[in-house]
Amino acid sequence: KQEVTQIPAALSVPEGENLVLNCSFTDSAIYNLQWFRQDPGKGLTSLLLIQSSQREQTSGRLNASLDKSSGRSTLYIAASQPGDSATYLCAVTTNAGKSTFGDGTTLTVKP
Amino acid sequence: NAGVTQTPKFQVLKTGQSMTLQCAQDMNHNSMYWYRQDPGMGLRLIYYSASEGTTDKGEVPNGYNVSRLNKREFSLRLESAAPSQTSVYFCASSLQGVVEAFFGQGTRLTVV
């Protein structure tokens, strides 16, 4: 059974700092990995999707990497801003279309 | 550009009552999903519909039924609500199972 772990569970940083969120998964037979953002009381917004054949994806200040063989992904946020405060979730999807989500990392960026 | 729309946003039920959560997407997606989100347990798949006319159980289907009414709509029914079903429910859709998923805003359900 696929298990997805996100460490740390919570992170607090001052504004402007670069930071890395971690996601690990136990079964490397994945089709893709997706990073989401969830604001309090809201749904999930897709940030980046990495196909299993890719090593990384970038969108603005966000960069996600994937090392399928070691079962790890990182989400790098450059020059963090208070508006980045949210919970970040990763989800891995198998070839059969089954997705497993991590519990998320709650990020607080202090002004 | 509505995306995925869920109704209602909030609901309080008494134990034993029934209700249906509605979900509609306007992106012409084939696949639709129902998840529940509980503290410390992440999102867990309840049911999914890979395409119009098909539905399959996910990880936690007990106590729920679903209907894929047409390509746009996928409803989740609680026949006899229990306190253990207190949760936040999310509907999601994707063009097909293995591509980017889009989520609704969630339904916060409390069963007392």
Side-chain angles (χ1 to χ4, degrees):
Chain A
K1 178 185 174 184
Q2 178 76 271
E3 293 182 3
V4 179
T5 303
Q6 292 187 244
I7 295 173
L11 181 64
S12 181
V13 300
E15 182 177 3
E17 192 163 297
N18 302 327
L19 60 101
V20 174
L21 307 180
N22 297 293
C23 173
S24 61
F25 47 95
T26 55
D27 186 349
S28 61
I30 66 169
Y31 190 86
N32 63 41
L33 184 146
Q34 195 166 359
W35 282 94
F36 293 89
R37 170 184 172 137
Q38 185 176 27
D39 293 290
K42 302 292 185 182
L44 280 69
T45 300
S46 177
L47 297 173
L48 290 164
L49 183 146
I50 311 176
Q51 301 294 350
S52 62
S53 58
Q54 297 176 317
R55 296 285 292 182
E56 64 178 335
Q57 282 284 345
T58 298
S59 176
R61 294 182 294 108
L62 305 180
N63 176 276
S65 68
L66 174 64
D67 184 342
K68 200 173 73 163
S69 62
S70 67
R72 294 179 184 176
S73 176
T74 61
L75 179 66
Y76 175 83
I77 302 177
S80 58
Q81 304 170 357
D84 294 330
S85 297
T87 297
Y88 292 81
L89 296 97
C90 69
V92 296
T93 300
T94 66
N95 290 346
K98 184 181 187 308
S99 296
T100 304
F101 286 78
D103 287 342
T105 294
T106 299
L107 172 66
T108 303
V109 181
K110 298 178 179 178
Chain B
N1 195 4
V4 179
T5 303
Q6 291 182 234
T7 56
K9 289 185 170 54
F10 300 93
Q11 184 71 50
V12 178
L13 289 178
K14 294 182 179 179
T15 298
Q17 286 186 318
S18 63
M19 78 161 295
T20 300
L21 281 64
Q22 306 286 353
C23 175
Q25 51 90 10
D26 62 1
M27 295 173 282
N28 202 34
H29 284 171
N30 294 309
S31 302
M32 297 186 74
Y33 313 83
W34 277 105
Y35 291 91
R36 61 178 289 173
Q37 185 177 36
D38 302 289
M41 305 189 78
L43 274 85
R44 293 179 292 169
L45 183 65
I46 305 171
Y47 271 94
Y48 66 100
S49 171
S51 61
E52 185 180 358
T54 68
T55 61
D56 287 285
K57 295 178 180 179
E59 185 182 353
V60 287
N62 290 345
Y64 305 95
N65 286 301
V66 290
S67 296
R68 184 74 182 267
L69 304 171
N70 47 56
K71 192 171 185 179
R72 290 187 64 249
E73 299 173 290
F74 188 38
S75 63
L76 178 72
R77 183 162 178 83
L78 286 72
E79 291 290 352
S80 179
S84 61
Q85 294 178 305
T86 294
S87 186
V88 181
Y89 291 85
F90 287 101
C91 177
S93 71
S94 63
L95 186 59
Q96 60 187 65
V98 292
V99 299
E100 185 178 15
F102 295 82
F103 280 75
Q105 293 297 294
T107 296
R108 280 148 187 80
L109 175 67
T110 301
V111 183
V112 298

